Amino acid sequence: MSRRPPPRHAKTSTPGLVTGIYVPRAADAAASAMTTYGVPLLVLATTGSPVLTGLAFALEWLPRLGAFAAAGTLVDRYGVSRVFRLAALARALVVMTAAVVLAASTQSMTGTVTVMVLAAVSGVATECTFIASETAGGAASRLAGDRAHRVQSVLMAIDQTAILAGPAAAGLLLHWSGPVGMLSILAGLSLLGTVLVPRHTTDTAPTPAASIAGGLRTGWSALRSLPALSWLVAGLVLSNLAAGLLQAAMPIIIVTDLGRSSTDAGLIWSTAAVASLLAITATRTAIDRWGLWAVGAVAATIAATATLAVSQTHTYNGYLLLIAVLMAGEGGMVVVLRTLRSQLIPADVFGSTLSVTALLLLAPFPAAGLLVAAVPPDHLGHAITGAAILQALGLAMAFTRLRTLPGLRAPTRHP
């Protein structure tokens, strides 16, 4: 399948990978990881309610879907750095406001409302910075040509390193310094991102105004024209339902059911990030040797098997080990997804198409939060089992279909 070449000026005007892409991505990834994994812990610590924890998880993700609908169009229109700076600054302001309110409040209702609003607003800002970062990373991958998966593996390594440190840091800060200490660090990381992001080529001239609906239609049309990407996204939607259910339920399972601390809950995801980081490093070399399809199929098998096993475990060490294996498989699949995405999506509609794929991939997360809020804690195991079965079926169908598509089976060779 042919794709449009990058603009001739991109190679000279796009910032270098380290200062222009990797360093700002690192600051934002750290803030995002602390937000995603720390806010549900904060809600549980503030309210003590499993139901509100599940609702907060849904509130954290539902507005992100709306943010994705707008962010892709805004990035295509105004450029990477403008959107990134404004979103990161907004997150910092909201987080600091929440810290001040929680420090001054003596009423439980005020604390509950504050953390629920924080979950919703911080989710929007986080996904706006993500779209901007991914657009910059996509441009860098197109310039890399056949080595696009290597750029994507570095970006994934940055994200996974942040996930390694973020949940554990959030849990430790929440345990030792309380909500104000955790939120202050989160605000500082957000402000650091606004300082580090450079000016990109896409910032030089806004594109003609386009509606959000128009941007989504453009992205949907582009996704439908790329069958390899469409099938992979379809499989990952069901996979993300299982992953989201585990993420939303883990504070309840670990803190409420098993009686462990918030630090122990954060440690599970930090340990999983180590496994995912190792898998991403191995995936880069494996794709060079065996190609995208083979590596993706193996990663999908590992993820589906681990999720089925997680649904049957009832010990802390079991969750720790199996979620690490699950995230290793997820890491391999995401490298395949990002590589295909960067290679196949035309540059002039990258932001809009990325928004559509992100909407589809993230829709299961608020659904998982609502499911956790609705299901009694002693029935969460049955819900996880059902999600694991759907994940296995969806990934099997997706990679069976992908095997017949051109361009996925041959390994990528380098001189």
Short mmCIF file of all heavy atoms in Angstrom, two decimals, residues 43 74 104 264 318-319 394:
data_model
loop_
_atom_site.label_atom_id
_atom_site.label_comp_id
_atom_site.label_asym_id
_atom_site.label_seq_id
_atom_site.Cartn_x
_atom_site.Cartn_y
_atom_site.Cartn_z
N VAL A 43 -8.82 8.60 44.98
CA VAL A 43 -10.27 8.55 45.22
C VAL A 43 -10.60 7.53 46.30
O VAL A 43 -11.40 7.80 47.21
CB VAL A 43 -11.02 8.22 43.90
CG1 VAL A 43 -12.50 7.97 44.18
CG2 VAL A 43 -10.86 9.36 42.90
N LEU A 74 -7.57 19.78 16.49
CA LEU A 74 -6.81 20.93 16.96
C LEU A 74 -5.33 20.81 16.61
O LEU A 74 -4.70 21.80 16.20
CB LEU A 74 -6.96 21.08 18.48
CG LEU A 74 -8.36 21.47 18.97
CD1 LEU A 74 -8.41 21.44 20.49
CD2 LEU A 74 -8.74 22.85 18.45
N ALA A 104 -7.21 22.50 52.39
CA ALA A 104 -7.99 23.43 53.21
C ALA A 104 -9.33 22.85 53.66
O ALA A 104 -9.93 23.33 54.62
CB ALA A 104 -8.25 24.72 52.42
N ASP A 264 1.35 -1.12 47.65
CA ASP A 264 1.34 -2.45 47.05
C ASP A 264 0.56 -2.46 45.74
O ASP A 264 0.94 -3.13 44.77
CB ASP A 264 0.72 -3.47 48.01
CG ASP A 264 1.58 -3.71 49.23
OD1 ASP A 264 2.82 -3.65 49.09
OD2 ASP A 264 1.03 -3.96 50.32
N GLY A 318 0.22 -13.73 42.89
CA GLY A 318 -0.35 -14.17 41.62
C GLY A 318 -0.69 -12.99 40.72
O GLY A 318 -0.39 -12.98 39.52
N TYR A 319 -1.35 -11.97 41.30
CA TYR A 319 -1.66 -10.77 40.52
C TYR A 319 -0.38 -10.09 40.04
O TYR A 319 -0.29 -9.65 38.88
CB TYR A 319 -2.49 -9.80 41.36
CG TYR A 319 -3.92 -10.21 41.54
CD1 TYR A 319 -4.43 -10.51 42.80
CD2 TYR A 319 -4.79 -10.30 40.46
CE1 TYR A 319 -5.74 -10.89 42.99
CE2 TYR A 319 -6.11 -10.69 40.63
CZ TYR A 319 -6.58 -10.98 41.90
OH TYR A 319 -7.89 -11.37 42.07
N GLY A 394 -11.29 -12.05 20.32
CA GLY A 394 -11.05 -10.89 19.46
C GLY A 394 -9.66 -10.87 18.87
O GLY A 394 -9.47 -10.60 17.67
#
